[in-house]
Amino acid sequence: MTTGPGGREPDAVTALAADAYVYGSPLVRTLSFVQSCLQEGYGSTAPAPFNAFAHADGPATPGTPVPYAPADLVDALAQLDLSGGPVRLHAPDTGGAYYVLRFTDAWSNSFAYLGSRATGTGKGDWLIVPPGWSGTVPDELSGVIDAPTSVVSVVGHLACDGPGDMPRVRALQQEFTLTHLGGRAHRTGLPAPESVPRELRFFEELRVWMADFPASAADRAYQDRFQPLGLLEEGVSPYMSAGPGLVRALGRGLALGRLRVEEAARRVVSVPAGPYGSWRTIGHLRDHNVDHLGVGTLASPEWKIADREASYLVRAVAARRGHRLPHGYEAVYATTARDSGGQPLSGAHAYVLRLAPPPPVRAFWSLTVYDSPGGRLVADAGERLAIGSRTPGLSYGADGSLTLHLSVSPPGDPREAANWLPVPPGAFRAVMRLHVPAQAVLDGSYVLPAFGRT
């Protein structure tokens, strides 16, 4: 029987390769995202070099290519390279308006936050420093953000109340600045993997990027077990001359690892107790980071996964689901595609959602609907692509409750029309975003009601 590296049988190599995929896919996905932002841009943001912000021209529209993009936030992205030294970030005074900047290392760990919840909305200057940095911090700085890796993604969102609010947002965008302070030039791109067979590209990217962006000490102890796969080899890639037996074993391991992550992605979303129509919430997918918790993060046990090896699978799921998800204490996203009777939501019907009381949040909440399965905003919704606590003119009940009306055409009653959110004519999915949720949301004592048909 053909053996793999280190004399292992193919089944053992396959199993180890599957583990390597679960462990390493967040690094490969995150740095592939960084590379895309540098070269092609992402979603509605244009490409930008390292250490520069890329701002969207406005909130998501029906034409935005990113599925399930928010309609009341404007994206701000920046890819930082600290290989040449620290970078200084200036944040303006937003006048109390919500914003967040989330810092994510190369392994997809969210390790710092700036913004309304974390540091307030006043202006500030922050120094982002590379691993092991020991320089002098200027006195006038608001603080220091210690980066676990020399490449960092900043994923930001600025609240926006529609097209009429964009002049204010554009003025703020100009004031978010990044300044490279290092004495050496920073990278202009990522370390390039060797040219290897297509089916081995993942392992080659993982090999090169693991060496350039070391994980935490505890993680490195775990990844030592991947030595038989060639992932810890330095210099010339071992995959350039890989034999057919190894190629087959690694290919099977790659497929097995992907399947494991996909199955976990279906299981990891929590479902509150209740009948059909319950909302599914995502609040703990970022709890895999247990090593680097800096400015604006919470280090209490409920926000950290105790089992390190189990956290690798959660991290892989979080990386697979995308870059928009923050820790639950920054925002909780809830989604549903069924009504109170368990039937799929469809524009063929009209619905009500009675919020009594509305969701308890310390920033704001909003409800948005998207066509299914495409995840696009409603094409004929005019300017009302979302509805929520910042929507002017809503009609509340005497008890403080809020009844939202969802249908293709607006209701005839003016009070109901004030609380109307357009839906597409076919199947759709609803997404509730709760920004800086109160404890009642986090502990599950506040439960979103199901949609009822009218």
Side-chain angles (χ1 to χ4, degrees), residues 73-328:
L73 296 172
V74 179
D75 290 345
L77 292 175
Q79 312 308 316
L80 310 185
D81 183 86
L82 309 173
S83 61
V87 168
R88 181 170 180 159
L89 186 153
H90 174 76
D93 186 341
T94 67
Y98 177 84
Y99 85 94
V100 60
L101 299 178
R102 177 167 53 91
F103 294 76
T104 301
D105 70 13
W107 289 86
S108 87
N109 296 307
S110 293
F111 65 90
Y113 290 83
L114 300 180
S116 305
R117 175 197 60 82
T119 55
T121 60
K123 69 177 180 179
D125 288 85
W126 300 82
L127 194 67
I128 303 102
V129 303
W133 185 80
S134 58
T136 301
V137 178
D139 292 336
E140 72 274 13
L141 287 182
S142 305
V144 175
I145 296 174
D146 292 294
T149 55
S150 60
V151 163
V152 168
S153 282
V154 182
V155 179
H157 307 293
L158 285 69
C160 180
D161 293 326
D165 193 29
M166 275 308 297
R168 177 192 66 84
V169 173
R170 289 193 187 96
L172 290 175
Q173 289 174 333
Q174 298 303 311
E175 296 189 61
F176 281 94
T177 60
L178 292 162
T179 306
H180 172 60
L181 301 181
R184 305 184 310 277
H186 58 75
R187 295 184 185 95
T188 57
L190 293 175
E194 299 281 359
S195 179
V196 300
R198 180 181 54 82
E199 57 267 43
L200 298 181
R201 181 166 180 80
F202 168 83
F203 294 100
E204 173 61 9
E205 290 176 332
L206 182 57
R207 182 190 73 88
V208 171
W209 289 339
M210 278 200 314
D212 276 88
F213 306 101
S216 66
D219 284 354
R220 290 199 301 273
Y222 175 85
Q223 77 185 26
D224 284 346
R225 63 199 294 264
F226 301 131
Q227 174 69 54
L229 300 178
L231 286 172
L232 306 185
E233 296 292 329
E234 298 180 358
V236 178
S237 171
Y239 305 118
M240 295 178 70
S241 57
L246 176 58
V247 173
R248 285 194 299 271
L250 292 179
R252 289 197 296 267
L254 188 66
L256 182 60
R258 284 173 174 160
L259 180 61
R260 191 181 301 170
V261 173
E262 289 168 3
E263 290 177 343
R266 290 192 289 267
R267 297 193 306 267
V268 78
V269 181
S270 64
V271 184
Y276 290 112
S278 295
W279 294 74
R280 295 175 178 265
T281 60
I282 303 172
H284 288 277
L285 272 185
R286 292 298 177 191
D287 297 359
H288 52 79
N289 179 20
V290 298
D291 295 312
H292 301 284
L293 293 164
V295 174
T297 63
L298 300 182
S300 48
E302 66 266 32
W303 298 108
K304 295 192 290 186
I305 297 173
D307 185 332
R308 180 176 292 271
E309 191 166 342
S311 76
Y312 298 144
L313 183 58
V314 176
R315 183 175 68 181
V317 171
R320 178 185 179 276
R321 293 189 70 94
H323 305 277
R324 291 186 175 277
L325 292 175
H327 281 90

Side-chain angles (χ1 to χ4, degrees), residues 405 407 409-414 416-417 420:
H405 297 265
S407 56
S409 301
D413 185 319
E416 294 181 356
W420 173 60

Side-chain angles (χ1 to χ4, degrees), residues 3-23:
T3 58
R8 289 171 176 248
E9 298 297 332
D11 285 349
V13 174
T14 294
L16 193 60
D19 289 346
Y21 178 83
V22 171
Y23 173 81

Side-chain angles (χ1 to χ4, degrees), residues 337-355:
R338 294 185 178 275
D339 62 22
S340 59
Q343 298 302 308
L345 296 173
S346 169
H349 309 284
Y351 301 92
V352 294
L353 180 67
R354 186 170 187 272
L355 302 170

